[in-house]
Amino acid sequence: LKACGLTGDWAVWAVPKIIQALIMVVLEWGTVRLAMDLERDGGGKGRRKRDESLPVWVLLLSMASWFGWAYGGRTLSNVAEAALAVWALCWWPIAGFEAGRYAVAILLVGMGVFLRPSSLLFWLHPLLLLLWRLQLRQWPSFLGISLTAAILVVSAGFTLDSWLYGHGVFSWLNFAKLN
């Protein structure tokens, strides 16, 4: 805040709340988008009749959730990690490996895991399912995208942490040592 010239008491109080509210909007938008994508892709395959009102109901239930109201404004990392996870699910190649969708999704997953390393456990199942479905010709693309995303996220995380702390810091090592 100091770098932006926002040093008043109002800024210390208001700016984090504004940022948190914006992240909650992104989370809710992603939740509705995920419902729309799943309804479009999964609902029309003969299993059941498509329900065009599903995204509206998802939004209403999400907005009426006491949990969202009580904990949505808590810590920045909780809600940011949830928003990244929802948007990663929106981009996740559910039907089969698509390089472009996977690249966006794995970058979002990496950012979420950077914020909360334990969220890697959530992503093990979708990742293993994707690996199981990969064809031999898709492996080079998958590995190239995965390694590039890992290098980008780790180097950005190290740079950001080091800038914030004023010296070289790798927060994941501290997390591993502590836990």
Side-chain angles (χ1 to χ4, degrees):
L1 293 174
K2 190 175 186 179
C4 297
L6 301 172
T7 56
D9 290 342
W10 69 271
V12 172
W13 175 82
V15 171
K17 292 182 183 302
I18 292 169
I19 292 171
Q20 190 73 17
L22 292 174
I23 293 172
M24 282 298 293
V25 167
V26 170
L27 174 61
E28 297 298 340
W29 178 28
T31 302
V32 171
R33 162 96 190 273
L34 182 60
M36 289 170 44
D37 290 350
L38 291 175
E39 178 61 24
R40 183 186 62 242
D41 295 341
K45 293 189 172 132
R47 288 185 283 242
R48 61 183 170 80
K49 185 179 173 189
R50 290 185 60 181
D51 184 4
E52 299 294 332
S53 68
L54 179 67
V56 174
W57 283 108
V58 167
L59 179 62
L60 288 174
L61 288 172
S62 181
M63 296 300 292
S65 167
W66 69 268
F67 188 83
W69 286 99
Y71 295 101
R74 298 283 178 167
T75 60
L76 178 69
S77 64
N78 288 350
V79 179
E81 187 259 331
L84 289 167
V86 166
W87 278 98
L89 284 171
C90 287
W91 283 95
W92 195 259
I94 294 172
F97 182 73
E98 299 172 47
R101 291 183 68 84
Y102 177 70
V104 173
I106 202 67
L107 278 172
L108 293 169
V109 168
M111 288 188 284
V113 170
F114 173 75
L115 284 176
R116 184 176 307 255
S118 59
S119 71
L120 181 62
L121 296 174
F122 171 80
W123 289 103
L124 285 179
H125 182 264
L127 188 58
L128 290 174
L129 189 60
L130 183 64
L131 286 171
W132 181 262
R133 293 178 178 172
L134 273 181
Q135 297 173 2
L136 188 58
R137 64 180 168 79
Q138 296 171 322
W139 273 93
S141 179
F142 172 81
L143 291 174
I145 292 169
S146 299
L147 289 174
T148 302
I151 290 168
L152 284 172
V153 168
V154 169
S155 60
F158 177 77
T159 303
L160 183 62
D161 279 347
S162 299
W163 177 67
L164 289 172
Y165 289 107
H167 58 86
V169 175
F170 191 62
S171 61
W172 286 4
L173 286 179
N174 293 339
F175 175 82
K177 286 177 188 176
L178 184 66
N179 293 309

